[in-house]
Amino acid sequence: MEGIGSAPGETAPRLELRHVGKSFPGVRANDDVSFAVAPGEIHALLGENGAGKSTLMKIVYGVQRADEGAILWEGRSVDITSPKAARKLGIGMVFQHFSLFDALTVYENIAVGMDDPMPRRALEARIEEVLSTYGLPLDITREVHTLSVGERQRIEIVRCLMQQPRLLIMDEPTSVLTPQEVEKLFTTLRQLSAEGVSILYISHKLHEIKALCHSATILRGGRVVGTCDPRVETAKSMAEMMIGGELRTAERRGKAAGGEERLIVEGLSVPGTPPFGIELKAVSFTVHAGEVFGIAGVAGNGQNELTRALAGEVVAPRAEMIRLARRPIGHQGPGERRRAGLCVVPEERNGHAAVPEFTLAENTMLTARYRRPLTRGGFMRLAATRAFAEDVIRRFDVRTTGPEALARSLSGGNLQKFIVGREMLQTPDVLVVSQPTWGVDAGAASAIHQALLDLAANGAAIVVISQDLDELLALASRLVVMNDGRLSQALDVAGVSVKDIGLLMGGVHGGDAPVHPHEVTHAV
Amino acid sequence: MTLDVYVSIFMTVVIAATPILIAALGELVVEKSGVLNLGVEGMMLCGAVAGFSIATTTGATSGGYLAGAAAGAALSMVFALLVLSLSANQVATGLALTIFGTGVSSLTGRPFVGKTVQRLGPLFPHPLSDHPLLRALFGYDAIVYLSLVLTVAVAWFLAASRPGLVLRAVGEGDAAAHAIGHPVIRVRYAAIAFGGALAGLAGAYYSLAVTPMWADRLTAGRGWIALALVVFAAWRPWRLLAGAYLFGAVMTLELQSKAAGVGFVPPEFLAMLPYLATVVVLTLIALRGAGGQRAPACLGKAFRAGG
């Protein structure tokens, strides 16, 4: 039998898939997929966006049904007809998308996912117990729409742990955590593994898989193309198995640092939108031509507010607080700022960076018309818009049926490539990108990174706001850490350690005091 | 003497508010599940005619109320079949339902025009319900008290019960609710049936208590006011209660001032008052900040499993 890398003992695998296949109209999502997960094993599923991992997980969790093949649970053949049936077996899943209710509170979101209702008091006590046992700070009375992406993910994890599952499926669980939080999560997962809980782990962060997982199954184009023991592989070798070719790491071409000042933010203070928005407190930084400037921090510390203030969705109290070269632009709206040369890629792809129900061509029209001749006399130039969208699709390798595809039909990673490409091809003087590669696979992430570095090499000033430290360390020459609406001193990336940045993220300025979990609580 | 007049006016307000409250409570539950049913007026008319016909033929007024609720629920199932099972557009289907209900009620109600029916008596016994002052509290039929019980029940159901939580979850994120394993379509069927039954009951209250008689288009657009009231109340049952009584008061004011012959105010202006009140209150709510005004996120959107 394949795939049981380190199964302790002779017991039947907790979960085994045999020759599972699934088709959608026009797509073969999974084809002849077989692997097994032993009790207590942490098993990684590796693959690029669209390799069929998500579909496979949905089949295991009962959201979708396989067309062929068999699923064995602890040696018995089972038919998982619904998520409820999956949970009854002891399968829990931490979703990446689509399972939280924005208008409900954290408590309600957890309660609605419970199969065995219990009284409110008891449930609250149980939630608090899980929160403290696994070190997940959350205020359960808040409504989800007021929370950051990172906090939302914690709800998913808590919701899952409440069920005391025997198989835990985790889809990209660490993408928005600080290194310390990741370490804490891994401690939890290892503890669960030691208690005999199996874990199916999906992540694009290969060094995490190397640190955590006992075995890995690699998918490409819906098929199993290999298995490996991540502990003896390198991140690079696994990435190459995933994409079936050689991985090109992003490299800086020439150093254009020390160029003229392009974006100057000085004493930018913006009150937070009630009731839970973060107030920006005298934010100041300067970005030079040819430089990539990184802003690190745990989700919900004012990054969204800063992105909005830079984009012009919220105007600054005084125009001089944000200057583009020498021009004050603080009072201008997003369109005028784009025309002046400042383009922004916000964090949420659907609904903020793109209109889900619009085609890709229409979505390019929305932002690119300020810098590209896509309109004439108030009319849209459809052919030019389509050509521009096609250009973005081709140059950024967006996997789609064409410029007429609806934005919501694209996978997260592909839509991200499209949006980043749309802004980059407008040749901005300053580009602000929030979470450029969240949920994007290794191959696409490295392509986006390379494009950002190339844009900087051509003289643009780039601000990258990200929770992924590795990304910032690979791209930025200087970085700051954002905590509770304030920026730390700018650090030179060359001489900084991940540990120091992690401490700043937790709200410890100066780096001499130890991090208390409670301080992290305040930071989120 | 004057006290007696005030008590009478107060009681008229309560009677006017009750059917609107009942219909709006039903629609609130439907909208909380993510479905917009614009057919309230049609379901009310069908409930009114069904209730009246059963009450006059059998002589049992309470049977009439049951029949009204049943007729409303039955008509709402046509709507549910179209929008839930066949994914038809909710706005168009709802409008069609109102037009259909208006026509059907006219047709089936023709033999009953001009007949009368016995109203339900007061729920509370003689000394309380006739007391010159206390009748303002105890002088109503059972439906009035039922409407208050329903308000409490719906508020509790939505805020504190687990099925209510599931219903809200279905209305806030149908895909997510499906992913967790809640039966989105079944929940919505149940919500629509409940909304239909209450709309039918509200309609029956017009033909059996407010007027009481049958005439074409008896409800005179009150179904639309109930719909507006749900938005007005920001999908909250307690605000709905306040809103329904406010509307009841404005409608009574219109009637009373007509009867009192306030000569210098044209009657058209008085007829306008309920709608003017809507605009004023909506403006006031908007000025007080956007808090809690969010419509259910999936309101009016069709859901297809696995889509």
PDB file of all heavy atoms in Angstrom, chain B residues 5 35 57 98 135 202 215 252 267 273 284 291 294:
ATOM      1  N   VAL B   5     -63.408  58.165  24.637  1.00  0.00           N
ATOM      2  CA  VAL B   5     -62.995  58.375  23.248  1.00  0.00           C
ATOM      3  C   VAL B   5     -61.550  57.953  23.053  1.00  0.00           C
ATOM      4  O   VAL B   5     -61.202  57.248  22.107  1.00  0.00           O
ATOM      5  CB  VAL B   5     -63.176  59.860  22.848  1.00  0.00           C
ATOM      6  CG1 VAL B   5     -62.557  60.108  21.459  1.00  0.00           C
ATOM      7  CG2 VAL B   5     -64.644  60.224  22.862  1.00  0.00           C
ATOM      8  N   VAL B  35     -34.819  34.648   1.787  1.00  0.00           N
ATOM      9  CA  VAL B  35     -35.782  34.653   0.685  1.00  0.00           C
ATOM     10  C   VAL B  35     -36.613  35.927   0.760  1.00  0.00           C
ATOM     11  O   VAL B  35     -37.058  36.323   1.838  1.00  0.00           O
ATOM     12  CB  VAL B  35     -36.717  33.434   0.746  1.00  0.00           C
ATOM     13  CG1 VAL B  35     -37.747  33.476  -0.366  1.00  0.00           C
ATOM     14  CG2 VAL B  35     -35.909  32.153   0.675  1.00  0.00           C
ATOM     15  N   THR B  57     -69.751  29.859   5.756  1.00  0.00           N
ATOM     16  CA  THR B  57     -70.444  28.606   5.434  1.00  0.00           C
ATOM     17  C   THR B  57     -70.561  27.695   6.650  1.00  0.00           C
ATOM     18  O   THR B  57     -71.565  27.014   6.812  1.00  0.00           O
ATOM     19  CB  THR B  57     -69.759  27.850   4.279  1.00  0.00           C
ATOM     20  OG1 THR B  57     -68.361  27.813   4.546  1.00  0.00           O
ATOM     21  CG2 THR B  57     -70.021  28.521   2.956  1.00  0.00           C
ATOM     22  N   THR B  98     -48.579  37.967  -6.012  1.00  0.00           N
ATOM     23  CA  THR B  98     -49.529  38.986  -5.578  1.00  0.00           C
ATOM     24  C   THR B  98     -50.636  39.170  -6.618  1.00  0.00           C
ATOM     25  O   THR B  98     -51.826  39.215  -6.289  1.00  0.00           O
ATOM     26  CB  THR B  98     -48.804  40.319  -5.318  1.00  0.00           C
ATOM     27  OG1 THR B  98     -48.106  40.190  -4.085  1.00  0.00           O
ATOM     28  CG2 THR B  98     -49.776  41.478  -5.238  1.00  0.00           C
ATOM     29  N   ARG B 135     -60.574  47.834  29.401  1.00  0.00           N
ATOM     30  CA  ARG B 135     -60.815  47.198  28.099  1.00  0.00           C
ATOM     31  C   ARG B 135     -59.745  47.587  27.074  1.00  0.00           C
ATOM     32  O   ARG B 135     -59.555  46.896  26.086  1.00  0.00           O
ATOM     33  CB  ARG B 135     -62.216  47.540  27.596  1.00  0.00           C
ATOM     34  CG  ARG B 135     -62.376  48.970  27.150  1.00  0.00           C
ATOM     35  CD  ARG B 135     -63.829  49.266  26.854  1.00  0.00           C
ATOM     36  NE  ARG B 135     -63.996  50.684  26.592  1.00  0.00           N
ATOM     37  CZ  ARG B 135     -64.255  51.195  25.377  1.00  0.00           C
ATOM     38  NH1 ARG B 135     -64.413  50.394  24.352  1.00  0.00           N
ATOM     39  NH2 ARG B 135     -64.361  52.497  25.216  1.00  0.00           N
ATOM     40  N   ALA B 202     -53.225  37.008   8.719  1.00  0.00           N
ATOM     41  CA  ALA B 202     -53.391  38.463   8.747  1.00  0.00           C
ATOM     42  C   ALA B 202     -54.517  38.883   7.812  1.00  0.00           C
ATOM     43  O   ALA B 202     -55.337  39.743   8.162  1.00  0.00           O
ATOM     44  CB  ALA B 202     -52.081  39.139   8.351  1.00  0.00           C
ATOM     45  N   ALA B 215     -64.800  42.122   0.410  1.00  0.00           N
ATOM     46  CA  ALA B 215     -64.923  42.977  -0.762  1.00  0.00           C
ATOM     47  C   ALA B 215     -63.639  42.785  -1.562  1.00  0.00           C
ATOM     48  O   ALA B 215     -62.628  42.374  -1.000  1.00  0.00           O
ATOM     49  CB  ALA B 215     -65.068  44.440  -0.358  1.00  0.00           C
ATOM     50  N   THR B 252     -55.029  55.139  11.857  1.00  0.00           N
ATOM     51  CA  THR B 252     -56.193  55.538  12.650  1.00  0.00           C
ATOM     52  C   THR B 252     -56.365  57.050  12.637  1.00  0.00           C
ATOM     53  O   THR B 252     -57.467  57.571  12.497  1.00  0.00           O
ATOM     54  CB  THR B 252     -56.028  55.059  14.099  1.00  0.00           C
ATOM     55  OG1 THR B 252     -55.706  53.679  14.067  1.00  0.00           O
ATOM     56  CG2 THR B 252     -57.291  55.259  14.891  1.00  0.00           C
ATOM     57  N   PRO B 267     -58.116  65.350   2.231  1.00  0.00           N
ATOM     58  CA  PRO B 267     -58.070  63.915   2.575  1.00  0.00           C
ATOM     59  C   PRO B 267     -56.910  63.185   1.910  1.00  0.00           C
ATOM     60  O   PRO B 267     -56.389  62.236   2.463  1.00  0.00           O
ATOM     61  CB  PRO B 267     -59.421  63.399   2.074  1.00  0.00           C
ATOM     62  CG  PRO B 267     -59.980  64.445   1.188  1.00  0.00           C
ATOM     63  CD  PRO B 267     -59.386  65.739   1.621  1.00  0.00           C
ATOM     64  N   LEU B 273     -50.262  59.963   4.870  1.00  0.00           N
ATOM     65  CA  LEU B 273     -49.522  59.952   6.137  1.00  0.00           C
ATOM     66  C   LEU B 273     -48.712  58.673   6.411  1.00  0.00           C
ATOM     67  O   LEU B 273     -47.550  58.775   6.805  1.00  0.00           O
ATOM     68  CB  LEU B 273     -50.483  60.216   7.302  1.00  0.00           C
ATOM     69  CG  LEU B 273     -50.787  61.691   7.559  1.00  0.00           C
ATOM     70  CD1 LEU B 273     -51.761  61.834   8.728  1.00  0.00           C
ATOM     71  CD2 LEU B 273     -49.516  62.474   7.841  1.00  0.00           C
ATOM     72  N   LEU B 284     -34.672  58.974   9.939  1.00  0.00           N
ATOM     73  CA  LEU B 284     -34.159  59.076  11.308  1.00  0.00           C
ATOM     74  C   LEU B 284     -33.225  57.910  11.625  1.00  0.00           C
ATOM     75  O   LEU B 284     -32.154  58.103  12.214  1.00  0.00           O
ATOM     76  CB  LEU B 284     -35.323  59.097  12.304  1.00  0.00           C
ATOM     77  CG  LEU B 284     -36.135  60.389  12.325  1.00  0.00           C
ATOM     78  CD1 LEU B 284     -37.288  60.285  13.325  1.00  0.00           C
ATOM     79  CD2 LEU B 284     -35.234  61.574  12.677  1.00  0.00           C
ATOM     80  N   GLY B 291     -25.748  51.255  12.145  1.00  0.00           N
ATOM     81  CA  GLY B 291     -25.712  50.059  12.987  1.00  0.00           C
ATOM     82  C   GLY B 291     -26.921  49.173  12.841  1.00  0.00           C
ATOM     83  O   GLY B 291     -28.049  49.606  12.984  1.00  0.00           O
ATOM     84  N   ARG B 294     -28.193  45.911   8.453  1.00  0.00           N
ATOM     85  CA  ARG B 294     -27.824  45.003   7.382  1.00  0.00           C
ATOM     86  C   ARG B 294     -28.945  44.030   7.044  1.00  0.00           C
ATOM     87  O   ARG B 294     -29.488  43.371   7.914  1.00  0.00           O
ATOM     88  CB  ARG B 294     -26.596  44.215   7.784  1.00  0.00           C
ATOM     89  CG  ARG B 294     -25.324  45.026   7.742  1.00  0.00           C
ATOM     90  CD  ARG B 294     -24.265  44.309   8.522  1.00  0.00           C
ATOM     91  NE  ARG B 294     -24.349  42.876   8.267  1.00  0.00           N
ATOM     92  CZ  ARG B 294     -23.611  42.252   7.366  1.00  0.00           C
ATOM     93  NH1 ARG B 294     -22.758  42.914   6.656  1.00  0.00           N
ATOM     94  NH2 ARG B 294     -23.721  40.960   7.205  1.00  0.00           N
TER      95      ARG B 294
END
